[in-house]
């Protein structure tokens, strides 16, 4: 609606940009807050309630986490989906049920789709399946198929313009690999 209003001249382009940035920063803050609660639940499931409070409190007081939570970047969203996939994997390992594994697959696909370095989330996902000791590989394969679907849905350019998408992806990787000074 704000883009339409800007095109009609009802609001300025600067107002639209400011509103978009504010919305993105708000979404980042909400996801970071949910991540603190998610870490509490994971600590509770793994140990007890006090450890959940400790883990959530330490994350909430982490300067780097709080700083990133205030920015309108993809880092908070990638972290949220990554840890949601870890929590769902933990739920599958501790409680069983295919819904946990399917949720882990979807969240992992979103995490990897946002930032490809989050592919390490495959370790807890597959690990939870193996540690659970179930002998039905269909559940794991279903979760992995949903992971791929979520990855593609989080990157619609893969469907609309696959060659341009892969070209941009490889150029970005090459650019980052060839930087001399990582601080720049």
């Amino acid at each position: 609606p704000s883009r339409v209003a800007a095109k009609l001249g009802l609001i300025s382009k600067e107002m639209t940009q400011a509103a978009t940035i504010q919305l993105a920063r708000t979404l980042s803050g909400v996801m970071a807050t949910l991540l603190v609660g998610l870490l509490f639940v994971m600590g509770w499931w793994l140990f007890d309630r006090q450890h959940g409070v400790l883990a959530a409190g330490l994350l909430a007081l982490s300067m780097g986490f709080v700083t990133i939570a205030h920015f309108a970047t993809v880092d908070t969203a990638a972290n949220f989906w990554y840890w949601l996939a870890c929590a769902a994997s933990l739920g599958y390992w501790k409680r069983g049920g295919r819904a946990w594994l399917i949720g882990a697959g979807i969240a992992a696909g979103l995490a990897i789709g946002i930032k490809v370095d989050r592919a390490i989330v495959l370790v807890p996902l597959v690990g939870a399946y193996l540690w659970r000791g179930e002998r039905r590989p269909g559940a794991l394969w279903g979760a992995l198929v949903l992971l791929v679907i979520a990855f593609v849905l989080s990157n619609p350019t893969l469907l609309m313009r696959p060659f341009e998408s892969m070209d941009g992806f490889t150029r970005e990787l090459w650019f980052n690999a060839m930087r001399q000074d990582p601080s720049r």
Side-chain angles (χ1 to χ4, degrees):
S2 60
R3 285 186 184 175
V4 173
K7 285 184 180 181
L8 293 174
L10 300 175
I11 59 174
S12 69
K13 194 180 248 186
E14 292 80 20
M15 288 176 65
T16 303
Q17 184 179 13
T20 303
I21 291 171
Q22 187 62 40
L23 180 65
R25 291 182 72 178
T26 301
L27 183 61
S28 183
V30 168
M31 288 182 119
T33 303
L34 291 172
L35 185 54
V36 172
L38 188 62
L39 198 60
F40 165 75
V41 170
M42 289 176 70
W44 188 4
W45 284 352
L46 281 171
F47 303 106
D48 58 19
R49 192 176 178 143
Q50 289 79 16
H51 284 90
V53 170
L54 178 64
L58 289 174
L59 180 63
L61 297 175
S62 169
M63 286 176 38
F65 175 74
V66 171
T67 301
I68 289 174
H70 284 80
F71 295 145
T73 66
V74 298
D75 295 315
T76 301
N79 288 338
F80 173 77
W81 292 114
Y82 173 88
W83 285 106
L84 187 63
C86 289
S89 298
L90 178 63
Y92 177 74
W93 175 51
K94 289 286 205 176
R95 301 166 189 260
R98 288 187 179 189
W100 288 107
L101 199 59
I102 287 172
I106 293 169
L110 292 172
I112 297 167
I114 293 171
K115 285 190 86 169
V116 76
D117 65 343
R118 299 309 193 267
I120 193 72
V121 77
L122 290 170
V123 173
L125 194 148
V126 174
Y129 174 80
L130 295 174
W131 291 326
R132 182 92 183 139
E134 292 192 23
R135 302 290 178 230
R136 295 176 292 174
L140 179 62
W141 286 112
L144 294 176
V145 165
L146 287 173
L147 183 148
V148 171
I149 291 170
F151 174 82
V152 171
L153 289 177
S154 67
N155 292 291
T157 56
L158 285 172
L159 296 175
M160 295 183 289
R161 298 190 176 264
F163 295 109
E164 288 89 347
S165 179
M166 289 310 297
D167 180 53
F169 179 75
T170 54
R171 284 177 190 251
E172 176 69 19
L173 288 177
W174 183 255
F175 172 77
N176 285 328
M178 299 310 294
R179 286 191 308 175
Q180 296 282 329
D181 184 7
S183 66
R184 300 175 113 195

